[in-house]
Amino acid sequence: MTNPGAASWSFDEEDLNALTRAVSRFLSETGAHSALIADRAGQLVATVGRPLSFDPMVFATLTAADFSANDQLARLIGETDFTTLFHQGEKESMYVADVARRLILVTLFDNQTPIGLVRLKMKPVVEELTAHLDRAYSRARESGTTQPNILAGAGEEIDELFNW
Amino acid sequence: MSMINYAAREINCKIVYYGPGLGGKTTNLEHIYGKVKPDTRGKLISLATETERTLFFDFLPVDLGTIRGFNTRFHLYTVPGQVYYNASRKLILKNVDGIVFVADSQVERMEANLESMQNLYDNMAEYGYDLTRMPFVIQYNKRDLPNAAPIPELQAALNPGWEPAEATKARVTPDPYHAGQNLVDQISTGQWVERVPYFEAVAITGEGVFDTLKAVSKLVLKALA
Ligand SMILES: Nc1nc2c(ncn2[C@@H]2O[C@H](COP(=O)(O)OP(=O)(O)OP(=O)(O)O)[C@@H](O)[C@H]2O)c(=O)[nH]1
Ligand SMILES: [Mg+2]
């Protein structure tokens, strides 16, 4: 059975390394302490920089929801979308950017880091991430999928998994 | 949209619990949260009003085991059932891999069930998803209440069946969950119909909650296989 609603996609080690490298560089350029990459459905892809003191999976879900809600707000005021969101706190702030409408890059920084710098350096890193994604996608299109379907023929194993 | 993370060796899938307000969607997640081992689930996040009505969504990640070395992680969401919140409800459906429709069995809620089912269908169609071809199960909840409608009545209203998606499916297929019943069969007019699996539940005690979750998760993984 194919699921026409959902375009499945996948990351391999190399994709992930490329994304993480670009984001690490961005963190050191700006002085921001951590970043998190999620997909638009709220699934956590990677965390970069200083380890987070909270559950990154929960954070990914809430940011994706936040982003989608803001997208709808944008539409209501006649914009197609907001490509970035900024939430400012007393000590900690976060800057959220859309990457090719597929991923979300969340940058966390304290009040030592000027927002202007984050904003300035955000654009090139988003472009770099977009380029990586585009490559991953065109590779997927050319070869059908990026990876062999790991679940192919796993019918019985799936049945067994739910044998409880 | 399932995501296979080869680096982390994880398969991530999204399941949405849909249905009318106060039907028991949040209660399903609360039961799951309370019963699965803490090391195989995350926090239960609820974005709710002061009166515990879901405002945006509930979210619970659970790991259901490994297949071929990959951890299967299911992201369970509920939507706000109240009619008023359609915009948020629609957002949560985005990239969904499987759906559980939690119906309120009470006779008085039949209208609300039907309205919610139609709303689900419409919202899915707006994303270009075809509900009839997705991993989809129905849960008839609140079976403990004296005013619960009989199952055949609920089935006729909410799970009447549709034409099988592929011609090859037009053969009698037994319902694995109910002896003597069929998921696919031929009605008196000669037409073939396909229904989705259904489960009876009492979410406050947990009855039927895991059967429902297992069935939909299995359908989701099989859709990937
Ligand atoms: N008797 C009975 N009550 C139930 C059952 N399941 C849930 N309830 C009760 O029904 C009420 C609503 O349940 P929720 O789980 O909050 O309903 P919901 O579908 O999440 O509602 P919304 O968030 O508004 O969409 C609560 O008071 C539950 O305790 C059941 O099986 N039997
Ligand atoms: Mg709820």
Side-chain angles (χ1 to χ4, degrees), chain B residues 212-224:
Chain B
T212 311
L213 173 64
K214 278 198 259 184
V216 72
S217 315
K218 196 158 150 176
L219 286 176
V220 166
L221 289 180
K222 292 223 162 158
L224 294 172

PDB file of all heavy atoms in Angstrom, chain B residues 212-224:
ATOM      1  N   THR B 212      -6.271  -0.083  19.743  1.00  0.00           N
ATOM      2  CA  THR B 212      -6.408   0.949  18.713  1.00  0.00           C
ATOM      3  C   THR B 212      -5.038   1.433  18.247  1.00  0.00           C
ATOM      4  O   THR B 212      -4.763   1.512  17.051  1.00  0.00           O
ATOM      5  CB  THR B 212      -7.192   2.160  19.279  1.00  0.00           C
ATOM      6  OG1 THR B 212      -8.379   1.693  19.917  1.00  0.00           O
ATOM      7  CG2 THR B 212      -7.529   3.141  18.190  1.00  0.00           C
ATOM      8  N   LEU B 213      -4.184   1.734  19.217  1.00  0.00           N
ATOM      9  CA  LEU B 213      -2.849   2.250  18.875  1.00  0.00           C
ATOM     10  C   LEU B 213      -2.046   1.234  18.068  1.00  0.00           C
ATOM     11  O   LEU B 213      -1.406   1.567  17.068  1.00  0.00           O
ATOM     12  CB  LEU B 213      -2.093   2.624  20.159  1.00  0.00           C
ATOM     13  CG  LEU B 213      -0.628   3.021  19.965  1.00  0.00           C
ATOM     14  CD1 LEU B 213      -0.513   4.292  19.121  1.00  0.00           C
ATOM     15  CD2 LEU B 213       0.069   3.226  21.308  1.00  0.00           C
ATOM     16  N   LYS B 214      -2.115  -0.023  18.501  1.00  0.00           N
ATOM     17  CA  LYS B 214      -1.366  -1.056  17.789  1.00  0.00           C
ATOM     18  C   LYS B 214      -1.847  -1.177  16.353  1.00  0.00           C
ATOM     19  O   LYS B 214      -1.045  -1.273  15.426  1.00  0.00           O
ATOM     20  CB  LYS B 214      -1.552  -2.416  18.484  1.00  0.00           C
ATOM     21  CG  LYS B 214      -0.647  -2.612  19.677  1.00  0.00           C
ATOM     22  CD  LYS B 214      -0.556  -4.082  20.016  1.00  0.00           C
ATOM     23  CE  LYS B 214      -1.433  -4.435  21.195  1.00  0.00           C
ATOM     24  NZ  LYS B 214      -1.291  -5.838  21.602  1.00  0.00           N
ATOM     25  N   ALA B 215      -3.160  -1.181  16.178  1.00  0.00           N
ATOM     26  CA  ALA B 215      -3.709  -1.384  14.840  1.00  0.00           C
ATOM     27  C   ALA B 215      -3.283  -0.259  13.896  1.00  0.00           C
ATOM     28  O   ALA B 215      -2.853  -0.515  12.767  1.00  0.00           O
ATOM     29  CB  ALA B 215      -5.229  -1.475  14.900  1.00  0.00           C
ATOM     30  N   VAL B 216      -3.370   0.971  14.361  1.00  0.00           N
ATOM     31  CA  VAL B 216      -3.034   2.071  13.454  1.00  0.00           C
ATOM     32  C   VAL B 216      -1.528   2.102  13.188  1.00  0.00           C
ATOM     33  O   VAL B 216      -1.088   2.331  12.055  1.00  0.00           O
ATOM     34  CB  VAL B 216      -3.580   3.432  13.956  1.00  0.00           C
ATOM     35  CG1 VAL B 216      -2.822   3.953  15.159  1.00  0.00           C
ATOM     36  CG2 VAL B 216      -3.555   4.458  12.835  1.00  0.00           C
ATOM     37  N   SER B 217      -0.714   1.802  14.209  1.00  0.00           N
ATOM     38  CA  SER B 217       0.748   1.826  14.017  1.00  0.00           C
ATOM     39  C   SER B 217       1.172   0.762  13.026  1.00  0.00           C
ATOM     40  O   SER B 217       2.057   0.969  12.192  1.00  0.00           O
ATOM     41  CB  SER B 217       1.472   1.566  15.335  1.00  0.00           C
ATOM     42  OG  SER B 217       0.921   2.304  16.372  1.00  0.00           O
ATOM     43  N   LYS B 218       0.523  -0.383  13.141  1.00  0.00           N
ATOM     44  CA  LYS B 218       0.835  -1.480  12.235  1.00  0.00           C
ATOM     45  C   LYS B 218       0.497  -1.081  10.793  1.00  0.00           C
ATOM     46  O   LYS B 218       1.284  -1.309   9.881  1.00  0.00           O
ATOM     47  CB  LYS B 218      -0.002  -2.675  12.664  1.00  0.00           C
ATOM     48  CG  LYS B 218       0.429  -3.996  12.121  1.00  0.00           C
ATOM     49  CD  LYS B 218      -0.143  -5.051  13.048  1.00  0.00           C
ATOM     50  CE  LYS B 218      -0.441  -6.338  12.353  1.00  0.00           C
ATOM     51  NZ  LYS B 218      -0.900  -7.370  13.290  1.00  0.00           N
ATOM     52  N   LEU B 219      -0.658  -0.463  10.616  1.00  0.00           N
ATOM     53  CA  LEU B 219      -1.044  -0.030   9.269  1.00  0.00           C
ATOM     54  C   LEU B 219      -0.039   0.976   8.718  1.00  0.00           C
ATOM     55  O   LEU B 219       0.305   0.948   7.537  1.00  0.00           O
ATOM     56  CB  LEU B 219      -2.447   0.602   9.284  1.00  0.00           C
ATOM     57  CG  LEU B 219      -3.630  -0.348   9.440  1.00  0.00           C
ATOM     58  CD1 LEU B 219      -4.933   0.441   9.534  1.00  0.00           C
ATOM     59  CD2 LEU B 219      -3.705  -1.324   8.265  1.00  0.00           C
ATOM     60  N   VAL B 220       0.429   1.870   9.582  1.00  0.00           N
ATOM     61  CA  VAL B 220       1.385   2.892   9.139  1.00  0.00           C
ATOM     62  C   VAL B 220       2.694   2.243   8.689  1.00  0.00           C
ATOM     63  O   VAL B 220       3.212   2.543   7.609  1.00  0.00           O
ATOM     64  CB  VAL B 220       1.650   3.930  10.255  1.00  0.00           C
ATOM     65  CG1 VAL B 220       2.870   4.780   9.938  1.00  0.00           C
ATOM     66  CG2 VAL B 220       0.430   4.819  10.459  1.00  0.00           C
ATOM     67  N   LEU B 221       3.211   1.311   9.484  1.00  0.00           N
ATOM     68  CA  LEU B 221       4.473   0.665   9.105  1.00  0.00           C
ATOM     69  C   LEU B 221       4.298  -0.175   7.846  1.00  0.00           C
ATOM     70  O   LEU B 221       5.167  -0.218   6.989  1.00  0.00           O
ATOM     71  CB  LEU B 221       5.005  -0.190  10.248  1.00  0.00           C
ATOM     72  CG  LEU B 221       5.543   0.584  11.454  1.00  0.00           C
ATOM     73  CD1 LEU B 221       6.037  -0.370  12.532  1.00  0.00           C
ATOM     74  CD2 LEU B 221       6.664   1.539  11.059  1.00  0.00           C
ATOM     75  N   LYS B 222       3.129  -0.834   7.739  1.00  0.00           N
ATOM     76  CA  LYS B 222       2.909  -1.657   6.540  1.00  0.00           C
ATOM     77  C   LYS B 222       2.816  -0.791   5.296  1.00  0.00           C
ATOM     78  O   LYS B 222       3.189  -1.217   4.205  1.00  0.00           O
ATOM     79  CB  LYS B 222       1.652  -2.500   6.710  1.00  0.00           C
ATOM     80  CG  LYS B 222       1.855  -3.560   7.789  1.00  0.00           C
ATOM     81  CD  LYS B 222       1.292  -4.915   7.407  1.00  0.00           C
ATOM     82  CE  LYS B 222       1.921  -5.969   8.296  1.00  0.00           C
ATOM     83  NZ  LYS B 222       1.147  -7.198   8.393  1.00  0.00           N
ATOM     84  N   ALA B 223       2.323   0.437   5.469  1.00  0.00           N
ATOM     85  CA  ALA B 223       2.246   1.339   4.324  1.00  0.00           C
ATOM     86  C   ALA B 223       3.646   1.728   3.846  1.00  0.00           C
ATOM     87  O   ALA B 223       3.842   2.079   2.689  1.00  0.00           O
ATOM     88  CB  ALA B 223       1.432   2.587   4.684  1.00  0.00           C
ATOM     89  N   LEU B 224       4.611   1.658   4.745  1.00  0.00           N
ATOM     90  CA  LEU B 224       5.989   1.996   4.367  1.00  0.00           C
ATOM     91  C   LEU B 224       6.719   0.791   3.788  1.00  0.00           C
ATOM     92  O   LEU B 224       7.748   0.933   3.136  1.00  0.00           O
ATOM     93  CB  LEU B 224       6.774   2.478   5.591  1.00  0.00           C
ATOM     94  CG  LEU B 224       6.360   3.795   6.241  1.00  0.00           C
ATOM     95  CD1 LEU B 224       7.124   3.999   7.535  1.00  0.00           C
ATOM     96  CD2 LEU B 224       6.610   4.942   5.284  1.00  0.00           C
TER      97      LEU B 224
END
